[in-house]
Amino acid sequence: MAELWPPGARGDGGDSPAAGSGPRDPAEQAEEVRREDAESDWSADSWSDYGSRDKPGTTLGRTVPDGNVLFPDIFHTDHLLFYERFRAYQDYILADCKASEVKRFIAEYLEKVLEPSGWQAIWRTDVFEVLVGVVGVNFPALKAVVQLSEPFLCESQDSSFTLECMQELLELKEHQILLQELWVVYDESGEFDQTALAIEHVRFFYRCIWRTWDEEEEDEFDYFVRCVEPRLRLHYDILEHRVPSGLVAEYQNFLSQCEELYEKFLNVRNSISSNDSDSEAENVSMVEGLKLYDKVEHLKQKLKLIENPLLRYVFGYQKYGSLQAKGLRPTGAKVIHVVPWTMTASLLQLLARDKLCPESCEDVEIQFHRDPLAAVNACYEGDRVIICPGHYFVDGVFSIADSVELEGYGLPDDVVIEKQGKGDNFFDCTGANIKISNLKLVQHDAVEGILNVHHGKTTLENCVLQCETTGITVRTAAELLMRNSDLYGAKGAGVEIYPGSVCTLLHNGIHHCKEGILVKNFLDEDYEAPTITMVNNMIHNNEGYGVVLVRPAMPSEMKDASAQETKGNTQPTQAGDDTACAEGSQQEPGCVTDELELCKRAETSEQTESNSEIANVLGAASAKKSQKHKKRLSELGFTDADDNLMSQEMFVSVEGNQFKWNGKGSFGIFFF
């Protein structure tokens, strides 16, 4: 792969003579210094390793254009790696320019690297492709001056684009075509490598990076840092399947909406600026323009959140294409699905005794399947899946839309379901009442969390979850009951609790995750507060907080937060407590029992305070939302609203949980 570095900047010594060649004439040394200085100059003759004049032959590949017309081959330039584009935009094209300076910086870059004439290209539009020759470049306009090549080669969706038609079209355009619409014809000499790559960088920029509203961004910000880098990273994250497909669709939807609304906003603004009268129609247009502006700004913020890799999953999409439930079987019967790794006579007897023969002794239909995914896909409402001990590898998604039970026959470590292959999800639950028990779920190479509860209620009991990205996500209006389970390894939060959801966590272990439990912002008026119950959980060894609340910051709270940061975290860590106990035990052997008892009491007191703090902060945040809700009702004229009816306060029960060895403490608030 060719690299975009100026000659002499790579540290490889260039054309320096071999060691041991003996002393050289001073004039020769001076000439070499002069030559190296000239080579390091940022000039059009030697700017990059792509197609350097002192290197014979091209460093780029070639590709054959699609279609029926025998066009000549073109340079293959759309395969560049992230770091190649990053370095090109940061170091050579945009540098530290402002949004209003982007076009000028690109023009200056092109003047240094682009061949002004003497090359051919295929001009591509949505309706035709035609071979042209470049006779000049209008750098400020980022356009090439072209003429039709001989022989005339053109491919279009219909036969209307004749030679005469294309000549007329070029005359209307004054023979000037946007550079990003040109694909440079392949030349093995290497003379046009820089030209092909420069046009590729411009084309990629205007297709994938630039937004029509960027020019109105505030100029005190570095455009590359603010816009180019996050959009470039998002583009490659999508290419490399590191972003959920649902979030990608959401981003594209926001982008198209924003472009459409921004165009309408520009039309309204232009109509107002061109009309000097103070008429009622103009006032109406101003109101319409303000509404459009607010909508555009709202969508721009959503786009920026998704473009930011740190906030992408904190404020990710909440929509989900609901799965279609099958409902009851046409016969009304319920089936037990059995998945055996290997079936023996003794195992069949045990299954018949423990699982397959209900007390009613009625005939029960039993179906056998080769893998758990096939069994789940065959389920109807009320069915049951029993998975025998074994290690099952699954390449697919468990999409459970009916009320079914999925149960491992044995201990969780004996019944392992491991995901293979790339994919967004592992378990998607939308059924009214789903139960999963006695299973170990292992996730690899994933994009989304190990289990998503989108709708209905999902009960998770006596399970082990080895995560890859986030852990369990409880979406708005969904319910999770997680009992006696162990979750670890999430690069995000172990459990994400969305507004308006119900989450009950009883006797679980959540550890070795980025954050233990994350409660998402519910202060927005569009959201309802979640219902959270946490009892006797062990939340430990997480990189960040045991529990973290994500919500917007008020001005007064920002002052308080900064004051707390200056004071530092006064909560002692568990490791510090253990050290203190050890030191105390070495002071007086006769007081060992008393010292340990004091440490134990201090630890118990600390855990009680942590539980109380979480309950109080979450409750206070919910009360603040309730006050905002009542104020909004009052503004609408509902002054006698019943408190019990209108209250949206969160039900919080946090008792008996233990928080140990979490990197930032038991509880924290992430302001945005």
Side-chain angles (χ1 to χ4, degrees):
M1 180 70 67
E3 297 181 80
L4 195 58
W5 290 93
R10 301 174 55 144
D12 55 7
D15 296 327
S16 59
S21 59
R24 292 173 295 163
D25 183 73
E28 181 183 356
Q29 294 181 6
E31 176 60 23
E32 181 179 343
V33 170
R34 186 199 63 76
R35 179 173 58 81
E36 289 178 352
D37 289 342
E39 284 182 351
S40 64
D41 183 48
W42 204 53
S43 65
D45 290 332
S46 59
W47 177 78
S48 93
D49 280 349
Y50 287 127
S52 297
R53 301 299 187 272
D54 57 346
K55 292 186 179 180
T58 179
T59 59
L60 297 178
R62 66 198 299 170
T63 184
V64 180
D66 297 330
N68 299 321
V69 177
L70 295 178
F71 285 114
D73 293 355
I74 57 177
F75 282 107
H76 183 45
T77 56
D78 58 358
H79 63 295
L80 299 182
L81 302 177
F82 166 80
Y83 83 91
E84 292 178 292
R85 296 194 192 275
F86 183 92
R87 284 295 180 90
Y89 293 127
Q90 183 186 49
D91 295 345
Y92 306 118
I93 303 177
L94 300 174
D96 57 352
C97 76
K98 310 303 180 186
S100 60
E101 302 171 331
V102 166
K103 191 172 183 179
R104 177 170 64 83
F105 271 59
I106 292 177
E108 292 175 355
Y109 154 74
L110 292 176
E111 285 188 60
K112 294 179 174 69
V113 300
L114 210 66
E115 289 290 340
S117 62
W119 47 279
Q120 285 186 312
I122 298 177
W123 174 23
R124 288 179 173 175
T125 68
D126 294 335
V127 293
F128 66 81
E129 296 182 5
V130 63
L131 184 64
V132 297
V134 176
V135 296
V137 178
N138 183 350
F139 291 107
L142 307 184
K143 292 182 178 181
V145 182
V146 303
Q147 61 185 15
L148 295 177
S149 296
E150 296 181 2
F152 174 67
L153 294 178
C154 178
E155 183 173 23
S156 61
Q157 297 177 358
D158 54 54
S159 58
S160 61
F161 290 94
T162 62
L163 175 60
E164 293 75 15
C165 178
M166 294 304 303
Q167 286 176 338
E168 183 178 350
L169 178 61
L170 283 176
E171 288 176 1
L172 290 174
K173 290 179 169 290
E174 298 180 344
H175 288 265
Q176 296 194 19
I177 306 301
L178 288 173
L179 284 169
Q180 61 258 37
E181 295 180 358
L182 299 179
W183 273 257
V184 181
V185 170
Y186 180 80
D187 185 284
E188 62 184 10
S189 69
E191 184 178 358
F192 302 113
D193 285 18
Q194 293 185 36
T195 297
L197 281 164
I199 292 177
E200 169 61 28
H201 288 314
V202 174
R203 177 166 45 245
F204 181 87
F205 175 79
Y206 281 106
R207 283 190 171 186
C208 303
I209 304 296
W210 180 256
R211 309 285 183 251
T212 53
W213 52 83
D214 282 354
E215 263 188 326
E216 299 191 4
E217 289 282 346
E218 298 177 10
D219 258 3
E220 61 264 26
F221 296 104
D222 186 324
Y223 180 72
F224 178 86
V225 174
R226 186 183 179 103
C227 298
V228 178
E229 182 177 354
R231 292 171 188 170
L232 184 63
R233 290 188 184 279
L234 176 62
H235 177 84
Y236 277 89
D237 284 346
I238 293 173
L239 284 183
E240 295 166 11
H241 306 289
R242 291 199 293 262
V243 182
S245 58
L247 189 56
V248 175
E250 191 93 329
Y251 181 79
Q252 296 297 338
N253 183 41
F254 288 152
L255 186 58
S256 60
Q257 287 184 46
C258 197
E259 289 173 345
E260 181 181 349
L261 290 174
Y262 186 71
E263 185 177 354
K264 291 180 179 179
F265 167 74
L266 289 180
N267 292 334
V268 172
R269 187 175 66 178
N270 293 336
S271 67
I272 295 174
S273 60
S274 62
N275 189 359
D276 297 333
S277 63
D278 190 16
S279 62
E280 182 178 350
E282 184 178 352
N283 293 333
V284 171
S285 296
M286 291 183 66
V287 173
E288 182 184 357
L290 288 173
K291 290 181 179 179
L292 288 171
Y293 178 80
D294 288 340
K295 291 180 180 179
V296 168
E297 288 299 312
H298 185 61
L299 287 171
K300 284 165 63 176
Q301 290 303 315
K302 288 186 175 181
L303 290 171
K304 288 179 180 178
L305 289 176
I306 299 176
E307 289 165 358
N308 188 318
L310 297 177
L311 302 178
R312 185 178 300 160
Y313 298 103
V314 177
F315 305 96
Y317 69 103
Q318 299 181 31
K319 293 182 180 179
Y320 181 76
S322 58
L323 302 168
Q324 293 295 323
K326 296 179 182 178
L328 292 171
R329 241 180 216 86
T331 60
K334 296 181 179 179
V335 174
I336 297 178
H337 305 265
V338 179
V339 183
W341 180 255
T342 56
M343 180 59 72
T344 62
S346 59
L347 177 60
L348 188 58
Q349 288 179 343
L350 292 173
L351 280 172
R353 183 194 68 188
D354 298 337
K355 302 293 182 181
L356 304 182
C357 294
E359 296 179 359
S360 59
C361 294
E362 297 178 358
D363 289 338
V364 177
E365 181 180 347
I366 301 172
Q367 295 181 7
F368 290 87
H369 302 269
R370 298 180 63 180
D371 66 84
L373 185 58
V376 170
N377 291 338
C379 284
Y380 283 78
E381 182 78 13
D383 283 5
R384 187 179 177 193
V385 179
I386 299 174
I387 305 175
C388 298
H391 196 128
Y392 302 87
F393 295 91
V394 175
D395 189 357
V397 180
F398 287 87
S399 301
I400 308 176
D402 293 281
S403 296
V404 300
E405 292 186 23
L406 187 60
E407 176 185 357
Y409 184 52
L411 297 174
D413 287 336
D414 297 330
V415 189
V416 181
I417 303 177
E418 184 171 346
K419 182 172 176 60
Q420 282 187 326
K422 288 188 176 181
D424 286 355
N425 312 320
F426 196 5
F427 275 75
D428 279 332
C429 301
T430 60
N433 191 6
I434 298 170
K435 184 175 180 180
I436 303 172
S437 60
N438 301 329
L439 294 174
K440 180 176 182 179
L441 308 180
V442 180
Q443 183 187 35
H444 293 299
D445 206 12
V447 177
E448 283 201 79
I450 197 167
L451 188 146
N452 285 280
V453 186
H454 297 278
H455 306 293
K457 178 180 179 180
T458 296
T459 300
L460 199 67
E461 188 167 2
N462 196 32
C463 290
V464 176
L465 291 88
Q466 180 179 322
C467 306
E468 173 78 9
T469 52
T470 52
I472 300 174
T473 302
V474 192
R475 302 280 181 181
T476 300
E479 180 177 355
L480 170 71
L481 169 58
M482 181 177 172
R483 181 190 295 123
N484 298 326
S485 296
D486 191 51
L487 185 152
Y488 60 92
K491 293 184 176 66
V495 179
E496 289 187 358
I497 303 174
Y498 272 72
S501 63
V502 178
C503 185
T504 303
L505 306 174
L506 308 174
H507 305 277
N508 302 292
I510 301 174
H511 55 98
H512 294 92
C513 302
K514 178 73 173 179
E515 310 283 352
I517 299 169
L518 187 146
V519 183
K520 295 202 172 187
N521 169 45
F522 56 87
L523 292 183
D524 192 290
E525 63 183 24
D526 296 332
Y527 298 145
E528 294 182 0
T531 299
I532 300 174
T533 301
M534 294 172 52
V535 178
N536 295 334
N537 299 284
M538 172 66 81
I539 303 172
H540 64 95
N541 288 101
N542 296 291
E543 184 179 338
Y545 292 102
V547 178
V548 60
L549 170 65
V550 178
R551 70 179 187 84
M554 308 302 175
S556 59
E557 292 172 335
M558 292 302 293
K559 294 179 181 178
D560 295 340
S562 61
Q564 289 179 1
E565 288 178 1
T566 57
K567 292 180 181 178
N569 187 6
T570 58
Q571 180 180 350
T573 62
Q574 186 64 33
D577 293 341
D578 292 342
T579 305
C581 291
E583 290 175 354
S585 64
Q586 293 172 2
Q587 290 174 0
E588 296 183 15
C591 299
V592 170
T593 304
D594 294 338
E595 292 287 347
L596 291 175
E597 182 66 25
L598 287 173
C599 288
K600 187 175 181 180
R601 290 179 182 177
E603 179 182 341
T604 303
S605 175
E606 180 185 343
Q607 300 299 338
T608 303
E609 290 177 2
S610 296
N611 283 271
S612 299
E613 179 188 7
I614 294 172
N616 292 337
V617 173
L618 293 179
S622 178
K624 183 173 294 186
K625 175 183 171 58
S626 179
Q627 293 173 2
K628 291 173 62 178
H629 181 65
K630 291 176 182 178
K631 181 179 179 181
R632 187 159 56 90
L633 290 175
S634 177
E635 292 172 351
L636 294 174
F638 297 97
T639 55
D640 299 326
D642 179 46
D643 285 346
N644 293 327
L645 179 64
M646 293 300 174
S647 175
Q648 295 190 23
E649 293 188 14
M650 177 197 299
F651 172 77
V652 180
S653 176
V654 184
E655 299 177 1
N657 302 286
Q658 296 188 51
F659 301 89
K660 294 186 177 182
W661 307 299
N662 296 295
K664 295 183 179 179
S666 302
F667 179 70
I669 301 177
F670 179 79
F671 294 103
F672 67 94

